[in-house]
Amino acid sequence: MRWTLLTLLSLTLLAGCDQPGPETDNGEAAAKEVNVYSARKEALIQPLLDRFTEKTGTEVNLITGGADALIERMESEGEHSPADLLLTVDAGRLYRARQADLLQKADSETLRNAVPEQYRHPEGYWHGLSVRSRVLVVAPDRVPANAPSRYADLADERWQDRICIRSSNNIYNQSLVASLIAHKGEEATEQWARGLVENMARSPQGGDRDQILAVANDLCDIAVVNTYYLAMMHNSDDQTQREAAEQVALRWPNQNDRGAHVNISGAGVARHAPHPEQARALLEFLVNDESQQWYAEVNNEYPVKEDVAISETLREWGDYKADDLPLVRLGENNDKAVRLMDRAGWQ
Ligand code: FE
């Protein structure tokens, strides 16, 4: 009963763009559309989907929402789910969707050639579309040029009451901690988390932009944020945001060892996709050079595909060394990370 209502609701929501023509067993009618469940905001993906329709004649029906809500919805809809492609902004959530058996393999030469191994599921259940790094943002007048230079330094008592970071229920922080567990083990990472909690200037609140604003406003000296938030603030229409971004400095962590922690936005073909061929075609379209450039530029992210141009703001920041940890490990270590942060008192 529950899924029936949800399915009806989904069909109603999709009905606006859905040509209800006869569905045939050989999928001829199905060839004209594809349904995307996206945790990425409409403005940041719709123009690309329009371009796909223009090029292929396949209509794209977009439903946006929080990743966890979309995953729950796919679970409730079960085999009747209209979802063809699930798009999220974190590898950890794609991993959850795979664990819940909501995705199917979409392996192809095009995808393998475009997306480096590190940024896709080893068996092709999901693929990265763009890359972001979680970096340090500092007040250059209050923090020396040579420190902190690693995530590990954030636990140093030197930074007592000087660090701002958002809450532990945020998936970006969970993925950062999951990467530290992969590199350093659980015990050392828990020690680190305890030190970091000691050094927090305030109890975690707000999003990444709020941490940058807090550094600019002298509430703390160091923040941990995703690269695109700083880039978006630099390019913001809002003067306060722009000025805050100009007052802080970006520090790439761990450049002398393993590299800065990175994560992806990415997508996977739904397990019960009514249009799996179209879903794979869309995925392949999203990793072609033109899409990669647009997608990365508009979101101020790094393309997953090599040799694709990046935005001017990112170019100004220069090259950086990225951690080469396979991102599937972020998902594997997510439960451990959440429990560890809780034990360490990270709110
Ligand atoms: Fe984000």
Side-chain angles (χ1 to χ4, degrees):
M1 186 61 188
R2 188 159 168 247
W3 64 254
T4 311
L5 281 171
L6 279 161
T7 305
L8 280 172
L9 181 67
S10 310
L11 290 172
T12 312
L13 285 165
L14 288 168
C17 0
D18 194 355
Q19 289 298 334
E23 290 263 337
T24 56
D25 285 342
N26 64 18
E28 264 175 51
K32 286 292 164 205
E33 64 174 349
V34 61
N35 303 321
V36 177
Y37 280 22
S38 171
R40 173 135 263 175
K41 288 191 195 88
E42 187 177 344
L44 301 181
I45 184 81
Q46 187 65 54
L48 216 42
L49 302 179
D50 291 343
R51 182 91 178 116
F52 177 70
T53 302
E54 204 179 290
K55 282 197 143 180
T56 62
T58 302
E59 290 295 331
V60 184
N61 305 313
L62 178 66
I63 290 196
T64 55
D68 287 334
L70 292 172
I71 287 170
E72 270 173 40
R73 181 166 166 174
M74 286 170 77
E75 280 184 305
S76 307
E77 291 167 345
E79 60 185 284
H80 301 280
S81 175
D84 289 306
L85 194 69
L86 173 69
L87 207 146
T88 80
V89 289
D90 182 278
R93 289 241 170 65
L94 288 167
Y95 183 87
R96 270 182 212 171
R98 161 66 188 135
Q99 290 307 100
D101 198 21
L102 295 174
L103 302 178
Q104 61 172 288
K105 290 182 196 178
D107 195 22
S108 79
E109 214 184 317
T110 306
L111 290 169
R112 255 173 294 147
N113 288 340
V115 184
E117 220 177 326
Q118 172 194 5
Y119 299 136
R120 53 181 152 91
H121 186 278
E123 291 162 76
Y125 283 94
W126 45 259
H127 290 82
L129 299 173
S130 60
V131 178
R132 66 284 293 284
S133 180
R134 199 148 181 78
V135 296
L136 309 181
V137 155
V138 305
D141 53 334
R142 305 190 295 276
V143 175
N146 58 348
S149 67
R150 307 170 303 165
Y151 297 109
D153 298 337
L154 299 176
D156 193 326
E157 60 186 21
R158 171 178 187 182
W159 310 116
Q160 177 138 33
D161 301 330
R162 296 176 71 183
I163 299 176
C164 280
I165 187 164
R166 68 200 286 182
S167 77
S168 61
N169 65 26
N170 169 254
I171 191 96
Y172 306 143
N173 282 338
Q174 292 171 10
S175 288
L176 171 62
V177 172
S179 81
L180 296 174
I181 292 173
H183 287 297
K184 302 281 183 189
E186 232 177 312
E187 218 180 293
T189 305
E190 185 165 340
Q191 276 302 111
W192 171 84
R194 286 180 192 281
L196 171 62
V197 169
E198 281 290 305
N199 289 345
M200 287 182 190
R202 56 179 187 180
S203 49
Q205 53 192 269
D208 281 4
R209 279 192 195 83
D210 298 305
Q211 316 311 317
I212 297 169
L213 285 167
V215 173
N217 292 327
D218 287 4
L219 292 172
C220 41
D221 296 342
I222 302 163
V224 183
V225 303
N226 284 355
T227 38
Y228 57 88
Y229 287 114
L230 182 61
M232 288 195 293
M233 285 173 73
H234 267 293
N235 297 305
S236 174
D237 294 333
D238 179 345
Q239 196 183 342
T240 314
Q241 300 255 324
R242 249 187 353 261
E243 284 175 359
E246 278 156 26
Q247 280 171 48
V248 303
L250 180 154
R251 292 274 171 84
W252 295 107
N254 295 75
Q255 293 304 285
N256 295 322
D257 46 84
R258 65 178 182 272
H261 167 65
V262 288
N263 207 327
I264 51 160
S265 79
V269 176
R271 166 97 166 78
H272 301 291
H275 318 99
E277 288 303 313
Q278 287 66 42
R280 201 182 61 197
L282 176 55
L283 203 47
E284 289 180 350
F285 172 83
L286 292 172
V287 297
N288 76 27
D289 281 15
E290 188 192 330
S291 304
Q292 279 285 294
Q293 189 170 342
W294 185 92
Y295 192 65
E297 171 102 34
V298 168
N299 300 316
N300 275 294
E301 291 185 87
Y302 295 87
V304 277
K305 197 174 187 181
E306 279 167 34
D307 303 322
V308 171
I310 57 175
S311 79
E312 201 184 315
T313 307
L314 303 195
R315 271 202 302 276
E316 281 168 17
W317 292 344
D319 287 338
Y320 73 101
K321 180 180 175 185
D323 183 352
D324 63 6
L325 184 76
L327 296 196
V328 69
R329 303 288 297 279
L330 306 183
E332 287 167 1
N333 286 341
N334 181 270
D335 284 350
K336 278 184 196 163
V338 171
R339 284 198 298 268
L340 183 156
M341 292 159 101
D342 192 45
R343 287 196 301 274
W346 188 335
Q347 288 175 24

